[in-house]
Amino acid sequence: MPVTIQPATPDMAEDAARLIYEALGPVSDYLFATDDPGHTQELIAQLFGQPGNRFSYEWVDVAITD
């Protein structure tokens, strides 16, 4: 199965937020001062879609497969 590596784009924010949340788990809830995982993921998605922050798409490469 071929794999293509490409830079992330802002439109990948929702999927990326789910993956970032899975990796960080409750730590991300603490980081964003909330106890609502859905809200935390929304905040991560907002940040992912914007340039100039640690969660930005600018710093992410994605692997695309079938």
Side-chain angles (χ1 to χ4, degrees), residues 6-13 48-49 57 60 62:
Q6 68 183 50
T9 58
D11 64 319
M12 297 174 176
F48 187 88
Y57 67 92
V60 178
V62 295

Side-chain angles (χ1 to χ4, degrees), residues 6-36:
Q6 68 183 50
T9 58
D11 64 319
M12 297 174 176
E14 285 187 38
D15 291 329
R18 277 195 302 273
L19 291 171
I20 292 168
Y21 186 82
E22 284 293 319
L24 296 176
V27 171
S28 56
D29 293 328
Y30 176 79
L31 183 66
F32 291 101
T34 180
D35 59 359
D36 179 358

Side-chain angles (χ1 to χ4, degrees), residues 1-6 62-66:
M1 177 179 309
V3 176
T4 304
I5 306 296
Q6 68 183 50
V62 295
I64 305 294
T65 64
D66 291 332

